[in-house]
Tab-separated table of all heavy atoms in Angstrom:
chain	number	residue	atom	x	y	z
A	1170	LEU	N	1.702	-30.368	-6.888
A	1170	LEU	CA	0.251	-30.945	-6.960
A	1170	LEU	C	-0.571	-29.641	-7.085
A	1170	LEU	O	-0.647	-28.879	-6.215
A	1170	LEU	CB	-0.033	-31.818	-5.897
A	1170	LEU	CG	0.823	-32.984	-5.668
A	1170	LEU	CD1	0.214	-33.948	-4.529
A	1170	LEU	CD2	1.039	-33.781	-6.879
A	1171	PHE	N	-1.441	-29.605	-8.099
A	1171	PHE	CA	-2.317	-28.567	-8.294
A	1171	PHE	C	-3.783	-28.912	-8.270
A	1171	PHE	O	-4.220	-29.720	-8.922
A	1171	PHE	CB	-2.022	-27.974	-9.742
A	1171	PHE	CG	-2.993	-26.870	-10.237
A	1171	PHE	CD1	-3.188	-25.810	-9.322
A	1171	PHE	CD2	-3.412	-26.747	-11.508
A	1171	PHE	CE1	-4.096	-24.702	-9.757
A	1171	PHE	CE2	-4.393	-25.898	-11.856
A	1171	PHE	CZ	-4.612	-24.849	-11.034
A	1172	CYS	N	-4.479	-28.245	-7.364
A	1172	CYS	CA	-5.921	-28.571	-7.213
A	1172	CYS	C	-6.732	-27.321	-7.496
A	1172	CYS	O	-6.558	-26.298	-6.655
A	1172	CYS	CB	-6.257	-29.036	-5.797
A	1172	CYS	SG	-7.970	-29.584	-5.541
A	1173	ASP	N	-7.462	-27.281	-8.570
A	1173	ASP	CA	-8.096	-25.958	-8.884
A	1173	ASP	C	-9.441	-26.037	-8.291
A	1173	ASP	O	-10.134	-27.057	-8.209
A	1173	ASP	CB	-8.203	-25.955	-10.435
A	1173	ASP	CG	-8.637	-24.548	-10.988
A	1173	ASP	OD1	-8.434	-23.580	-10.199
A	1173	ASP	OD2	-9.040	-24.531	-12.081
A	1174	ASP	N	-9.967	-24.752	-8.039
A	1174	ASP	CA	-11.288	-24.630	-7.582
A	1174	ASP	C	-11.571	-25.414	-6.220
A	1174	ASP	O	-12.595	-26.188	-6.237
A	1174	ASP	CB	-12.285	-24.802	-8.475
A	1174	ASP	CG	-13.714	-24.192	-8.248
A	1174	ASP	OD1	-13.673	-23.312	-7.360
A	1174	ASP	OD2	-14.708	-24.592	-8.829
A	1175	LEU	N	-10.671	-25.353	-5.195
A	1175	LEU	CA	-10.753	-26.229	-4.053
A	1175	LEU	C	-11.810	-25.566	-3.099
A	1175	LEU	O	-11.778	-24.316	-2.767
A	1175	LEU	CB	-9.530	-26.246	-3.473
A	1175	LEU	CG	-9.314	-26.979	-2.104
A	1175	LEU	CD1	-9.703	-28.574	-2.407
A	1175	LEU	CD2	-7.943	-26.818	-1.429
A	1176	SER	N	-12.676	-26.480	-2.623
A	1176	SER	CA	-13.771	-25.964	-1.682
A	1176	SER	C	-14.397	-27.160	-1.146
A	1176	SER	O	-14.322	-28.248	-1.631
A	1176	SER	CB	-14.869	-24.893	-2.277
A	1176	SER	OG	-15.628	-25.651	-3.276
A	1177	PHE	N	-15.074	-27.139	0.007
A	1177	PHE	CA	-15.687	-28.217	0.692
A	1177	PHE	C	-17.062	-27.854	1.215
A	1177	PHE	O	-17.389	-26.688	1.535
A	1177	PHE	CB	-14.926	-28.555	1.924
A	1177	PHE	CG	-13.466	-28.970	1.604
A	1177	PHE	CD1	-12.424	-28.140	1.629
A	1177	PHE	CD2	-13.225	-30.278	0.999
A	1177	PHE	CE1	-11.221	-28.514	1.452
A	1177	PHE	CE2	-11.875	-30.535	0.645
A	1177	PHE	CZ	-10.898	-29.731	0.793
A	1178	GLU	N	-17.960	-28.744	0.953
A	1178	GLU	CA	-19.416	-28.539	1.499
A	1178	GLU	C	-19.615	-29.497	2.696
A	1178	GLU	O	-18.846	-30.092	3.246
A	1178	GLU	CB	-20.324	-29.132	0.344
A	1178	GLU	CG	-20.068	-28.545	-1.097
A	1178	GLU	CD	-20.297	-26.927	-1.022
A	1178	GLU	OE1	-21.120	-26.573	-0.132
A	1178	GLU	OE2	-19.693	-26.226	-1.814
A	1179	SER	N	-20.775	-29.215	3.289
A	1179	SER	CA	-21.196	-29.952	4.378
A	1179	SER	C	-21.069	-31.486	4.278
A	1179	SER	O	-21.396	-31.992	3.160
A	1179	SER	CB	-22.595	-29.588	5.018
A	1179	SER	OG	-23.538	-29.900	3.950
A	1180	GLN	N	-20.799	-32.324	5.176
A	1180	GLN	CA	-20.597	-33.701	5.142
A	1180	GLN	C	-19.525	-34.107	4.249
A	1180	GLN	O	-19.384	-35.299	3.848
A	1180	GLN	CB	-21.971	-34.364	4.759
A	1180	GLN	CG	-23.148	-34.025	5.602
A	1180	GLN	CD	-23.015	-34.256	6.986
A	1180	GLN	OE1	-22.457	-35.251	7.321
A	1180	GLN	NE2	-23.407	-33.287	7.857
A	1181	ASP	N	-18.648	-33.274	3.832
A	1181	ASP	CA	-17.488	-33.514	3.061
A	1181	ASP	C	-16.296	-33.817	3.908
A	1181	ASP	O	-15.732	-32.799	4.490
A	1181	ASP	CB	-17.297	-32.396	2.072
A	1181	ASP	CG	-16.294	-32.667	0.883
A	1181	ASP	OD1	-15.611	-33.646	1.043
A	1181	ASP	OD2	-16.327	-31.948	-0.159
A	1182	ALA	N	-15.781	-34.953	3.760
A	1182	ALA	CA	-14.615	-35.361	4.672
A	1182	ALA	C	-13.330	-35.406	3.872
A	1182	ALA	O	-12.306	-35.675	4.372
A	1182	ALA	CB	-14.863	-36.784	5.386
A	1183	ASP	N	-13.231	-35.047	2.541
A	1183	ASP	CA	-12.121	-35.207	1.761
A	1183	ASP	C	-11.000	-34.091	2.267
A	1183	ASP	O	-9.936	-34.365	2.003
A	1183	ASP	CB	-12.424	-34.879	0.268
A	1183	ASP	CG	-13.083	-35.936	-0.375
A	1183	ASP	OD1	-13.007	-37.171	0.201
A	1183	ASP	OD2	-13.603	-35.766	-1.540
A	1184	TYR	N	-11.503	-33.153	2.982
A	1184	TYR	CA	-10.489	-32.153	3.425
A	1184	TYR	C	-9.558	-32.782	4.505
A	1184	TYR	O	-8.398	-32.322	4.645
A	1184	TYR	CB	-11.157	-30.880	4.138
A	1184	TYR	CG	-11.755	-31.229	5.473
A	1184	TYR	CD1	-11.044	-31.059	6.622
A	1184	TYR	CD2	-13.147	-31.772	5.573
A	1184	TYR	CE1	-11.570	-31.344	7.934
A	1184	TYR	CE2	-13.610	-32.115	6.848
A	1184	TYR	CZ	-12.790	-31.793	7.925
A	1184	TYR	OH	-13.309	-32.113	9.091
A	1185	LYS	N	-9.940	-33.842	5.019
A	1185	LYS	CA	-9.066	-34.574	6.063
A	1185	LYS	C	-7.820	-35.162	5.300
A	1185	LYS	O	-6.746	-35.226	5.970
A	1185	LYS	CB	-9.769	-35.578	6.787
A	1185	LYS	CG	-10.877	-35.025	7.706
A	1185	LYS	CD	-11.610	-36.179	8.388
A	1185	LYS	CE	-12.630	-35.643	9.436
A	1185	LYS	NZ	-13.397	-36.698	10.125
A	1186	SER	N	-7.963	-35.631	4.151
A	1186	SER	CA	-7.012	-36.248	3.241
A	1186	SER	C	-5.917	-35.170	3.059
A	1186	SER	O	-4.667	-35.231	3.139
A	1186	SER	CB	-7.374	-36.888	2.063
A	1186	SER	OG	-8.208	-37.905	2.295
A	1187	LEU	N	-6.273	-33.807	2.708
A	1187	LEU	CA	-5.472	-32.811	2.363
A	1187	LEU	C	-4.829	-32.344	3.672
A	1187	LEU	O	-3.625	-31.873	3.641
A	1187	LEU	CB	-6.326	-31.810	1.657
A	1187	LEU	CG	-5.567	-30.427	1.215
A	1187	LEU	CD1	-4.450	-30.656	0.395
A	1187	LEU	CD2	-6.432	-29.343	0.679
A	1188	LYS	N	-5.613	-32.074	4.698
A	1188	LYS	CA	-5.060	-31.602	6.002
A	1188	LYS	C	-3.910	-32.582	6.496
A	1188	LYS	O	-2.834	-31.985	6.932
A	1188	LYS	CB	-6.222	-31.680	6.936
A	1188	LYS	CG	-5.766	-31.109	8.409
A	1188	LYS	CD	-6.840	-31.084	9.331
A	1188	LYS	CE	-6.468	-30.689	10.719
A	1188	LYS	NZ	-5.836	-31.783	11.428
A	1189	SER	N	-4.071	-33.855	6.392
A	1189	SER	CA	-2.988	-34.685	6.841
A	1189	SER	C	-1.639	-34.525	6.071
A	1189	SER	O	-0.641	-34.695	6.570
A	1189	SER	CB	-3.446	-36.190	6.752
A	1189	SER	OG	-3.700	-36.579	5.403
A	1190	VAL	N	-1.791	-34.276	4.746
A	1190	VAL	CA	-0.614	-33.982	3.995
A	1190	VAL	C	0.093	-32.601	4.297
A	1190	VAL	O	1.205	-32.504	4.419
A	1190	VAL	CB	-1.116	-34.069	2.367
A	1190	VAL	CG1	0.207	-33.581	1.577
A	1190	VAL	CG2	-1.498	-35.520	2.046
A	1191	LEU	N	-0.920	-31.574	4.514
A	1191	LEU	CA	-0.253	-30.354	4.809
A	1191	LEU	C	0.210	-30.191	6.178
A	1191	LEU	O	1.217	-29.471	6.398
A	1191	LEU	CB	-1.486	-29.280	4.645
A	1191	LEU	CG	-1.956	-29.008	3.392
A	1191	LEU	CD1	-3.280	-28.061	3.422
A	1191	LEU	CD2	-0.971	-28.389	2.455
A	1192	ASP	N	-0.275	-30.984	7.064
A	1192	ASP	CA	0.287	-31.067	8.436
A	1192	ASP	C	1.734	-31.640	8.554
A	1192	ASP	O	2.499	-31.374	9.612
A	1192	ASP	CB	-0.640	-31.905	9.414
A	1192	ASP	CG	-1.837	-30.940	9.852
A	1192	ASP	OD1	-1.724	-29.779	9.668
A	1192	ASP	OD2	-2.733	-31.530	10.374
A	1193	GLY	N	2.126	-32.365	7.524
A	1193	GLY	CA	3.468	-32.980	7.404
A	1193	GLY	C	3.720	-34.138	8.536
A	1193	GLY	O	4.800	-34.088	9.059
A	1194	GLY	N	2.790	-34.943	8.728
A	1194	GLY	CA	3.027	-35.939	9.700
A	1194	GLY	C	3.775	-37.018	9.053
A	1194	GLY	O	4.576	-36.924	8.087
A	1195	ILE	N	3.878	-38.170	9.880
A	1195	ILE	CA	4.911	-39.282	9.365
A	1195	ILE	C	4.598	-39.709	7.923
A	1195	ILE	O	5.450	-39.951	7.169
A	1195	ILE	CB	4.665	-40.508	10.310
A	1195	ILE	CG1	5.196	-40.093	11.694
A	1195	ILE	CG2	5.362	-41.692	9.775
A	1195	ILE	CD1	5.023	-41.245	12.764
A	1196	GLY	N	3.370	-39.842	7.533
A	1196	GLY	CA	2.961	-40.127	6.192
A	1196	GLY	C	2.519	-39.038	5.294
A	1196	GLY	O	1.831	-39.195	4.430
A	1197	GLY	N	2.995	-37.780	5.710
A	1197	GLY	CA	2.573	-36.517	5.064
A	1197	GLY	C	3.321	-36.326	3.762
A	1197	GLY	O	3.739	-37.267	3.104
A	1198	ARG	N	3.579	-35.125	3.460
A	1198	ARG	CA	4.032	-34.679	2.156
A	1198	ARG	C	5.545	-34.946	2.106
A	1198	ARG	O	6.286	-34.392	2.897
A	1198	ARG	CB	3.754	-33.123	1.974
A	1198	ARG	CG	4.417	-32.494	0.754
A	1198	ARG	CD	3.871	-31.101	0.583
A	1198	ARG	NE	4.358	-30.340	1.788
A	1198	ARG	CZ	5.477	-29.659	1.935
A	1198	ARG	NH1	6.484	-29.794	1.016
A	1198	ARG	NH2	5.789	-28.904	2.964
A	1199	PRO	N	6.036	-35.636	1.047
A	1199	PRO	CA	7.429	-35.738	0.967
A	1199	PRO	C	8.154	-34.388	0.501
A	1199	PRO	O	7.453	-33.422	0.002
A	1199	PRO	CB	7.525	-36.829	-0.196
A	1199	PRO	CG	6.255	-36.781	-0.946
A	1199	PRO	CD	5.242	-36.267	0.099
A	1200	GLU	N	9.558	-34.402	0.636
A	1200	GLU	CA	10.125	-33.101	0.441
A	1200	GLU	C	10.161	-32.589	-1.069
A	1200	GLU	O	10.359	-31.496	-1.308
A	1200	GLU	CB	11.627	-33.290	0.901
A	1200	GLU	CG	11.865	-33.442	2.313
A	1200	GLU	CD	13.263	-33.511	2.900
A	1200	GLU	OE1	14.205	-33.507	1.857
A	1200	GLU	OE2	13.575	-33.500	4.150
A	1201	ASN	N	9.973	-33.530	-1.939
A	1201	ASN	CA	9.909	-33.239	-3.331
A	1201	ASN	C	8.535	-32.897	-3.845
A	1201	ASN	O	8.324	-32.750	-5.147
A	1201	ASN	CB	10.592	-34.462	-4.218
A	1201	ASN	CG	9.634	-35.653	-4.119
A	1201	ASN	OD1	9.067	-35.958	-3.084
A	1201	ASN	ND2	9.547	-36.282	-5.287
A	1202	VAL	N	7.498	-32.560	-2.965
A	1202	VAL	CA	6.179	-32.349	-3.371
A	1202	VAL	C	5.769	-31.010	-2.595
A	1202	VAL	O	5.922	-30.818	-1.429
A	1202	VAL	CB	5.273	-33.474	-2.987
A	1202	VAL	CG1	3.793	-33.151	-3.316
A	1202	VAL	CG2	5.640	-34.746	-3.861
A	1203	LEU	N	5.063	-30.072	-3.427
A	1203	LEU	CA	4.322	-28.951	-2.877
A	1203	LEU	C	2.876	-29.173	-3.427
A	1203	LEU	O	2.628	-29.709	-4.391
A	1203	LEU	CB	4.988	-27.664	-3.360
A	1203	LEU	CG	6.176	-27.190	-2.698
A	1203	LEU	CD1	6.612	-25.770	-3.140
A	1203	LEU	CD2	6.070	-27.103	-1.135
A	1204	ILE	N	2.054	-28.370	-2.593
A	1204	ILE	CA	0.651	-28.276	-3.091
A	1204	ILE	C	0.340	-26.876	-3.415
A	1204	ILE	O	0.457	-25.926	-2.520
A	1204	ILE	CB	-0.271	-28.887	-2.023
A	1204	ILE	CG1	0.044	-30.271	-1.795
A	1204	ILE	CG2	-1.799	-28.713	-2.405
A	1204	ILE	CD1	-0.746	-30.995	-0.782
A	1205	TYR	N	-0.223	-26.644	-4.622
A	1205	TYR	CA	-0.770	-25.324	-4.928
A	1205	TYR	C	-2.297	-25.489	-5.162
A	1205	TYR	O	-2.620	-26.425	-5.952
A	1205	TYR	CB	-0.175	-24.735	-6.272
A	1205	TYR	CG	1.227	-24.208	-6.189
A	1205	TYR	CD1	2.152	-24.593	-5.113
A	1205	TYR	CD2	1.641	-23.224	-7.181
A	1205	TYR	CE1	3.355	-24.081	-4.921
A	1205	TYR	CE2	3.052	-22.692	-6.907
A	1205	TYR	CZ	3.869	-23.184	-5.961
A	1205	TYR	OH	5.086	-22.641	-5.747
A	1206	ALA	N	-3.070	-24.567	-4.617
A	1206	ALA	CA	-4.551	-24.739	-4.771
A	1206	ALA	C	-5.120	-23.375	-5.038
A	1206	ALA	O	-4.552	-22.397	-4.648
A	1206	ALA	CB	-5.067	-25.288	-3.604
A	1207	THR	N	-6.199	-23.388	-5.703
A	1207	THR	CA	-6.946	-22.138	-5.869
A	1207	THR	C	-8.375	-22.301	-5.313
A	1207	THR	O	-8.883	-23.426	-5.374
A	1207	THR	CB	-7.029	-21.671	-7.468
A	1207	THR	OG1	-8.058	-22.699	-8.017
A	1207	THR	CG2	-5.718	-21.782	-8.052
A	1208	SER	N	-9.039	-21.282	-4.927
A	1208	SER	CA	-10.351	-21.240	-4.451
A	1208	SER	C	-11.050	-19.825	-4.564
A	1208	SER	O	-10.378	-18.771	-4.443
A	1208	SER	CB	-10.375	-21.787	-3.025
A	1208	SER	OG	-11.636	-21.800	-2.469
A	1209	ASN	N	-12.306	-19.889	-4.637
A	1209	ASN	CA	-13.054	-18.694	-4.631
A	1209	ASN	C	-13.444	-18.161	-3.282
A	1209	ASN	O	-13.824	-17.057	-2.980
A	1209	ASN	CB	-14.335	-18.671	-5.465
A	1209	ASN	CG	-14.104	-18.793	-6.901
A	1209	ASN	OD1	-13.042	-18.439	-7.556
A	1209	ASN	ND2	-15.032	-19.505	-7.725
A	1210	ARG	N	-13.142	-19.138	-2.250
A	1210	ARG	CA	-13.526	-19.054	-0.853
A	1210	ARG	C	-12.239	-18.755	-0.009
A	1210	ARG	O	-11.312	-19.598	-0.150
A	1210	ARG	CB	-14.313	-20.238	-0.458
A	1210	ARG	CG	-15.643	-20.387	-1.109
A	1210	ARG	CD	-16.261	-21.690	-0.650
A	1210	ARG	NE	-17.542	-21.813	-1.225
A	1210	ARG	CZ	-18.335	-22.984	-1.238
A	1210	ARG	NH1	-17.834	-24.050	-0.591
A	1210	ARG	NH2	-19.424	-23.029	-1.776
A	1211	ARG	N	-12.326	-17.829	0.857
A	1211	ARG	CA	-11.190	-17.598	1.730
A	1211	ARG	C	-10.865	-18.750	2.612
A	1211	ARG	O	-9.708	-19.159	2.897
A	1211	ARG	CB	-11.404	-16.218	2.477
A	1211	ARG	CG	-10.170	-15.950	3.394
A	1211	ARG	CD	-10.396	-14.507	3.935
A	1211	ARG	NE	-9.259	-14.152	4.666
A	1211	ARG	CZ	-9.178	-12.985	5.446
A	1211	ARG	NH1	-10.314	-12.146	5.446
A	1211	ARG	NH2	-8.099	-12.623	5.971
A	1212	HIS	N	-11.885	-19.357	3.124
A	1212	HIS	CA	-11.707	-20.404	4.168
A	1212	HIS	C	-12.106	-21.699	3.631
A	1212	HIS	O	-12.406	-22.690	4.323
A	1212	HIS	CB	-12.559	-20.113	5.503
A	1212	HIS	CG	-11.963	-18.994	6.207
A	1212	HIS	ND1	-10.736	-19.042	6.787
A	1212	HIS	CD2	-12.571	-17.662	6.505
A	1212	HIS	CE1	-10.537	-17.844	7.478
A	1212	HIS	NE2	-11.529	-17.116	7.249
A	1213	LEU	N	-12.319	-21.837	2.226
A	1213	LEU	CA	-12.465	-23.181	1.533
A	1213	LEU	C	-13.859	-23.763	1.950
A	1213	LEU	O	-14.092	-24.966	1.499
A	1213	LEU	CB	-11.438	-24.108	1.995
A	1213	LEU	CG	-10.033	-23.785	1.652
A	1213	LEU	CD1	-9.051	-24.850	2.039
A	1213	LEU	CD2	-9.861	-23.371	0.181
A	1214	MET	N	-14.717	-23.095	2.654
A	1214	MET	CA	-16.056	-23.644	2.945
A	1214	MET	C	-17.131	-22.393	2.866
A	1214	MET	O	-16.754	-21.377	3.270
A	1214	MET	CB	-16.077	-24.269	4.296
A	1214	MET	CG	-15.591	-23.445	5.403
A	1214	MET	SD	-15.245	-24.465	6.897
A	1214	MET	CE	-16.868	-24.926	7.255
Side-chain angles (χ1 to χ4, degrees):
L1170 303 188
F1171 174 46
C1172 186
D1173 193 23
D1174 198 18
L1175 181 64
S1176 63
F1177 300 100
E1178 305 297 337
S1179 58
Q1180 307 304 318
D1181 191 342
D1183 284 344
Y1184 74 93
K1185 293 181 179 179
S1186 298
L1187 180 58
K1188 178 177 176 292
S1189 65
V1190 173
L1191 293 172
D1192 279 345
I1195 294 176
R1198 177 176 58 87
E1200 291 183 357
N1201 65 319
V1202 175
L1203 281 185
I1204 296 176
Y1205 282 25
T1207 70
S1208 178
N1209 295 331
R1210 296 171 177 169
R1211 184 174 183 180
H1212 290 298
L1213 304 179
M1214 56 191 293

